[in-house]
C-alpha cells in the first residue's frame, strides 16, 4: 500500500505512522526525521535545513523533493511505503505526482490526523524538542494552515481518497480507527 500521513505538528503522525507502517510491513519515511539526521551528520543539506527548522519555517521544496526522490528510487519496496510529513506544500504535491508517474505507481490513500490547536499547543510545549518553543510552535501552526491545508484540497481535486481520523484519545484506538478506515 502507498500511503501518506498528514496533520498539524504534534498530531501524532510519527506515532501513528510508525504503528501503521509496521502493521502493513512497509517502510516509513519521515522528511522531518531525515532532515534531523542530516543535521546530526553535519551534511550541507542538514546545515541548510537547520535555520528553517529552528524558525518553524518549511525547508525549500526542491530540497524536500530531492530527499523524497532519493529514498523512493533507492528503496522502493514492492509492498509500498508510508510517507510522514510530506507533501507539505502544493508544489511538493505536484512534484510528488510527477515522481509517482515516473515510477508508474499510484497513492492509495491519505490519512489526515485531526487535532485542534489548543491540544497541539499543550502537546508540543510538553514534548520540548529543539524546535518546540512557543514562538516556533505558533509559526509552525500558521505555516500548516497557510501552506499544508491546501494540499488536502489539491488531493481531493485529484480524486485521491482522504481518510480523516481524529487524533485525540488512546493511541491504540486511533490506530484501530485508521485501520478500519483503510478497510483492514
Ligand atoms: P512536525 O510535524 O511536528 O512539524 P516534522 O518532524 O514533520 O515535525 O518536521 C519538523 C520540521 O522539518 C518542519 O517544521 C520543517 O521545518 C521541516 N520539514 C519536515 N518535512 C518538511 C516538508 N515536507 N517540507 C518542508 N519542510 C519540512
Amino acid at each position: 500500500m502507498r500511503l501518506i500521513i498528514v496533520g498539524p505538528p504534534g498530531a501524532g503522525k510519527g506515532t501513528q505512522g510508525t504503528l501503521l507502517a509496521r502493521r502493513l510491513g512497509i517502510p516509513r519515511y519521515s522528511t522531518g526525521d531525515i532532515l534531523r539526521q542530516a543535521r546530526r551528520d553535519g551534511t550541507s543539506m542538514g546545515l541548510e535545513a537547520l535555520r528553517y527548522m529552528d524558525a518553524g519555517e518549511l525547508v525549500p521544496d526542491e530540497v524536500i523533493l530531492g530527499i523524497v526522490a532519493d529514498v523512493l528510487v533507492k528503496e522502493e519496496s514492492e509492498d509500498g511505503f508510508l510517507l510522514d510529513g510530506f507533501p507539505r506544500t502544493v508544489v511538493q504535491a505536484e512534484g510528488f505526482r510527477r515522481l509517482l508517474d515516473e515510477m508508474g505507481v499510484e497513492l492509495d490513500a491519505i490519512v489526515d490526523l485531526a487535532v485542534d490547536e489548543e491540544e497541539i499547543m499543550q502537546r508540543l510545549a510538553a514534548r520540548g524538542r529543539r524546535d518546540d518553543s512557543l514562538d516556533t510552535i505558533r509559526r509552525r501552526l500558521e505555516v500548516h494552515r497557510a501552506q499544508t491545508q491546501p494540499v488536502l484540497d489539491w488531493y481531493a481535486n485529484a480524486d485521491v481518497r482522504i481518510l480523516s481520523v481524529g487524533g485525540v484519545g488512546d493511541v491504540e484506538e486511533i490506530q484501530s480507527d485508521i485501520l478500519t478506515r483503510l478497510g483492514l
Side-chain angles (χ1 to χ4, degrees), residues 8-10 13 30-33 35-36 52-53 56-59 64 84-88 92 124 127 129 131 140:
K13 298 185 293 284
S30 150
T31 45
D33 287 351
L35 291 168
R36 277 184 289 275
Y52 296 99
M53 297 173 80
E57 301 294 338
L58 293 180
V59 172
I64 299 291
D84 169 345
F86 170 90
R88 255 165 150 107
Q92 291 179 18
L124 293 184
R127 179 165 80 178
R129 206 170 67 191
D131 58 347
R140 276 155 62 211

Side-chain angles (χ1 to χ4, degrees), residues 22-95:
R22 197 180 300 150
R23 160 72 200 255
L24 297 173
I26 54 178
R28 161 183 170 265
Y29 303 113
S30 150
T31 45
D33 287 351
I34 292 169
L35 291 168
R36 277 184 289 275
Q37 185 61 47
R39 289 170 59 155
R40 282 194 290 274
D41 294 343
T43 67
S44 58
M45 179 183 83
L47 294 177
E48 189 195 348
L50 193 138
R51 57 197 169 102
Y52 296 99
M53 297 173 80
D54 286 352
E57 301 294 338
L58 293 180
V59 172
D61 290 326
E62 59 277 15
V63 175
I64 299 291
L65 281 166
I67 291 176
V68 172
D70 228 48
V71 289
L72 291 190
V73 167
K74 251 189 255 153
E75 303 187 50
E76 207 230 346
S77 121
E78 296 256 303
D79 299 322
F81 53 77
L82 180 138
L83 284 169
D84 169 345
F86 170 90
R88 255 165 150 107
T89 67
V90 169
V91 171
Q92 291 179 18
E94 288 166 349

Side-chain angles (χ1 to χ4, degrees), residues 2-7 65 68 72 81 83 85-101 105-112 147-164:
R2 294 181 183 82
L3 300 171
I4 63 183
I5 186 161
V6 295
L65 281 166
V68 172
L72 291 190
F81 53 77
L83 284 169
F86 170 90
R88 255 165 150 107
T89 67
V90 169
V91 171
Q92 291 179 18
E94 288 166 349
F96 186 42
R97 150 80 30 229
R98 285 192 292 275
L99 185 65
L100 292 178
D101 284 348
V105 298
E106 281 187 22
L107 266 189
D108 292 289
I110 297 172
V111 178
D112 176 29
Q147 308 207 50
T148 308
Q149 273 303 124
V151 172
L152 285 179
D153 300 329
W154 188 90
Y155 276 114
N157 277 329
D159 275 338
V160 176
R161 197 153 63 109
I162 299 173
L163 313 176
S164 290

